[in-house]
Amino acid sequence: MQDLKAFYTGMPKTELHMHIEGSLEPELMFELAARNNIKLPFATVEDVRKAYDFSNLQDFLDIYYQGMGVLITEQDFYDLTWAYLTKIHGQNVVHTEIFFDPQGHTDRGVSFETVITGISRALEEGLETYGISSRLIMCFLRHLSEDAAFATLEQALSHKDKITGVGLDSSEQGHPPSKFERVFAAAKEAGFLAVAHAGEEGPPDYVYEALDLLKIDRLDHGNRALEDDALVQRLITENMALTVCPLSNYHLAGVSDMRQHPLRKMLDLGLKATLNSDDPAYFGGYMNENFEAVVEPLGMTREHILALARNGIDASFTSVVQKQELQDQLSAYVADYDAA
Ligand code: ADE
Ligand code: ZN
């Protein structure tokens, strides 16, 4: 098992499902609160961590939206993104596709420009300094209205050079993908790729809607698709990638014991599953901690680990040429590892 840990720790990795606001560590939260004269309802970093005890998605989201309230200036968004990049550089992540939630900020009076400029500046530096390539995916908050999503899409149009795709996140139950069919059609028309959280808490029907109505290019979570054999077959046939987030599933009570996590089953069925951290500051870890959470409990082999890494590259939104480079880098890692 120690061998496998060394293997996935050193392995060059791709991350495809990570909310940048979910990478806000309590230490930085306090620093930004002090800088912006914001009073937090917590006295210490330990108190914050103690509050991270969620029984479902909404429990988490309430605290997540509260936490992001310390992000005010462009520098704050830069610092947040830079901290994430520094962390994942230490974990050998070489490519990352980051979600951001503009409505979580514009609704508090922080401009879309402030948010995207700060994040993008850090991502550019991440490429220069760490060699980490990246893509940005703008999520619509599904508990808000279709009109609000359209207004957000409108703001994104003047930053199309910085945004690769649109996504759908926040409270899933009661907010089916169908609510955003027209917004996603407009986003696709404008040239954005599309992803959506579906089947995290919501039923298999929401996954069908994400496929049929939103025309997604990648499925975020998708765990509950396993309840429907025909849907599983369809995901396999369509080569639809799933961005699976083990520690998130554990902390949001979708999975009470890691030995019951569906990740290995997904791979064994032939689904194109990938491994991701979702909200690493809230769920106890980044990429390597997510590997650690599943490898031993699920009895995963080196082949499973490599399948996750290769699927992550294949399912990314980068160019065909870069995907080949990343696959070659991974092959070289395996060869070096075995030679050592
Ligand atoms: N926003 C941030 N993390 C999320 C998650 N796991 N599900 C839905 N919305 C989110
Ligand atoms: Zn997510």
Side-chain angles (χ1 to χ4, degrees), residues 17 19 21-22 57 60-61 64-65 68 99 101 141-142 168-172 197 200 221 245 248 252 278-279 283:
H17 182 154
H19 303 260
E21 297 89 348
L57 176 58
F60 155 70
L61 289 169
Y64 165 83
Y65 293 121
M68 69 174 78
F99 294 129
D101 283 335
L141 297 185
R142 68 201 305 160
L168 187 63
D169 68 359
S170 194
S171 321
E172 187 179 8
H197 284 54
E200 180 185 18
H221 296 291
C245 307
S248 168
L252 300 185
D278 206 3
D279 298 283
F283 302 143

Side-chain angles (χ1 to χ4, degrees), residues 183-295:
V183 185
F184 270 65
K188 286 224 127 177
E189 184 68 30
F192 293 107
L193 293 171
V195 300
H197 284 54
E200 180 185 18
E201 273 191 347
D205 273 359
Y206 285 19
V207 177
Y208 280 109
E209 286 191 9
L211 296 169
D212 293 329
L213 306 181
L214 305 189
K215 315 260 190 253
I216 52 167
D217 298 288
R218 205 160 70 199
L219 172 60
D220 294 318
H221 296 291
N223 298 32
R224 289 196 58 195
L226 291 182
E227 295 168 20
D228 182 327
D229 292 341
L231 179 55
V232 169
Q233 279 318 308
R234 178 169 171 195
L235 293 169
I236 295 168
T237 306
E238 295 183 7
N239 198 28
M240 178 60 60
L242 279 66
T243 62
V244 182
C245 307
L247 281 173
S248 168
N249 299 149
Y250 180 75
H251 285 274
L252 300 185
V255 176
S256 55
D257 179 337
M258 273 303 180
R259 288 171 298 185
Q260 254 88 63
H261 193 279
L263 183 61
R264 179 178 172 165
K265 183 177 177 197
M266 288 170 168
L267 290 172
D268 291 343
L269 283 168
L271 283 163
K272 194 175 188 171
T274 66
L275 177 134
N276 309 273
S277 72
D278 206 3
D279 298 283
Y282 290 88
F283 302 143
Y286 294 74
M287 288 292 284
N288 287 344
E289 290 81 10
N290 271 277
F291 271 107
E292 185 161 19
V294 287
V295 167

Side-chain angles (χ1 to χ4, degrees), residues 99-139:
F99 294 129
F100 73 118
D101 283 335
Q103 290 160 292
H105 313 299
T106 52
D107 284 5
R108 302 182 286 113
V110 176
S111 80
F112 193 99
E113 278 65 35
T114 297
V115 179
I116 195 149
T117 309
I119 296 172
S120 301
R121 185 157 62 84
L123 293 179
E124 281 163 26
E125 275 186 47
L127 182 61
E128 279 165 32
T129 306
Y130 297 138
I132 298 175
S133 54
S134 58
R135 298 284 166 136
L136 203 45
I137 300 172
M138 178 184 83
C139 285

